[in-house]
Amino acid sequence: MQQQNTLFIGKVLLHHEELPSTNTYAQELIAKSKPIEGTVISTFRQAQGRGQVGSKWESEPDKNLTLSVILYPDFLPPQQNFALNKAVALAVRHFVAELVQQQPVWIKWPNDIYVGTRKICGILIQNSLNRNTLASSIVGIGVNVNQTIFSKDIPNPSSLQLENGKEYDLPALIPLLCHHVEAMYLRLKSGQFANLDAEYLQHLYRYQQPTLFQRSNGEIFWGSISGISEMGKLLIRLEEGGEEAFELKQVSIAGF
Ligand code: BT5
């Protein structure tokens, strides 16, 4: 592995030949010890990757990055928990934008990373709360790197290789990703919430653009994303009037 040019994220890097899920492994580690903040668990062969609310993250062996970072963001006031999602999404966006320069790189709420209209990274943050404050967070990041063929069930995948037409050295990408996560985490820690909010909206996919949405019951409607609530809900201004707040899986962009 390459030397990490960071203060704490990735200084301890637990790389495994193969794991079911780096997030699950990190959970097990936290349950039996207190790994130092910034510990990274990584594998290039993740067999049972997890997405949000029971969905799956697929990754062809030896082609992609799948890793989890252990953080203790106990400095965050409870009403600012979603700020961690914003900081991590921005960090991963910075990482992708540094490597993919021909296309816009977006954050699709809450924290997918898109190149144009294609998903290149997924993020799964699992928090454990202690009296409302975040005792620990496991930040799981999957980046499609050298994979070029995806299962038909995945609607709109992309990868660094598909975007740039070249193969990447996986171990060399880890320090770069850790660097970006650390930079944004330190901004979060220094309390730059307004700054992070503004930057998140600047890169938010379909922000303020007329879009066809679909509710979980199948109903279709026109609206445009007007912002993110403090608790991280997606705010949509409906074309027929009014604004509504949506939780994860209550709404999707029609066709995705
Ligand atoms: C995510 O969930 O996108 C979060 C994925 C997090 C994966 C990382 S890898 C390291 C760590 N360890 C884990 O076990 N997980 C984390 P969600 O927004 O729910 O999206 C899941 C959906 O994305 C699936 O239902 C598929 O439609 C699609 N999908 C699955 N694999 C994909 C891939 N490789 N590329 C693009 N889309 C994918």
Side-chain angles (χ1 to χ4, degrees):
M1 286 296 145
Q2 310 273 314
Q3 185 60 38
Q4 312 291 307
N5 185 21
T6 54
L7 294 171
F8 63 103
I9 293 188
K11 282 284 179 206
V12 175
L13 174 58
L14 307 175
H15 185 77
H16 293 253
E17 273 297 300
E18 193 168 341
L19 281 176
S21 154
T22 57
N23 266 37
T24 306
Y25 187 88
Q27 276 176 320
E28 289 163 4
L29 212 60
I30 288 177
K32 60 181 184 216
S33 63
K34 189 161 189 212
I36 65 163
E37 184 164 49
T39 296
V40 171
I41 292 107
S42 109
T43 186
F44 301 144
R45 295 179 175 202
Q46 178 173 257
Q48 292 162 41
R50 293 158 53 196
Q52 318 268 357
V53 209
S55 63
K56 294 197 176 105
W57 184 255
E58 295 183 20
S59 186
E60 191 182 332
D62 298 320
K63 297 281 183 177
N64 304 311
L65 292 187
T66 46
L67 57 81
S68 300
V69 185
I70 295 176
L71 297 172
Y72 302 112
D74 49 10
F75 55 86
L76 270 183
Q79 71 277 14
Q80 293 286 6
N81 284 0
F82 191 73
L84 177 67
N85 289 61
K86 287 183 179 166
V88 171
L90 282 167
V92 182
R93 199 207 81 88
H94 281 163
F95 165 80
V96 174
E98 190 171 325
L99 298 166
V100 176
Q101 284 161 3
Q102 313 300 328
Q103 294 279 339
V105 182
W106 302 107
I107 297 166
K108 178 164 172 286
W109 175 84
N111 44 22
D112 286 343
I113 306 302
Y114 272 36
V115 173
T117 57
R118 299 172 299 279
K119 180 165 171 176
I120 195 163
C121 304
I123 299 170
L124 176 65
I125 301 183
Q126 295 183 282
N127 293 326
S128 92
L129 297 178
N130 182 6
R131 287 205 206 100
N132 266 346
T133 51
L134 289 180
S136 65
S137 290
I138 296 166
V139 173
I141 304 170
V143 185
N144 298 329
V145 179
N146 293 322
Q147 185 167 343
T148 55
I149 298 167
F150 292 84
S151 105
K152 283 193 229 48
D153 308 336
I154 300 179
N156 55 338
S158 193
S159 66
L160 292 177
Q161 181 161 354
L162 283 173
E163 295 301 331
N164 287 341
K166 65 173 190 175
E167 203 170 321
Y168 288 81
D169 177 27
L170 291 179
L173 291 177
I174 294 177
L176 184 64
L177 181 56
C178 288
H179 159 76
H180 285 292
V181 174
E182 182 170 290
M184 293 309 292
Y185 187 64
L186 291 176
R187 271 177 64 184
L188 180 72
K189 205 166 181 171
S190 68
Q192 298 180 37
F193 298 121
N195 225 308
L196 290 172
D197 289 350
E199 204 185 321
Y200 183 90
L201 288 181
Q202 188 190 337
H203 298 294
L204 185 61
Y205 186 62
R206 305 297 299 170
Y207 180 55
Q208 292 183 329
Q209 290 179 42
T211 301
L212 195 56
F213 292 98
Q214 184 168 26
R215 292 179 193 273
S216 47
N217 66 7
E219 190 188 311
I220 300 275
F221 65 96
W222 280 97
S224 64
I225 296 173
S226 48
I228 306 293
S229 78
E230 201 168 42
M231 300 310 283
K233 290 186 185 179
L234 184 70
L235 303 175
I236 298 179
R237 193 170 306 288
L238 311 182
E239 196 192 52
E240 63 188 31
E243 189 181 63
E244 207 175 313
F246 293 87
E247 306 243 25
L248 194 67
K249 309 275 172 182
Q250 286 181 336
V251 72
S252 57
I253 295 175
F256 278 82

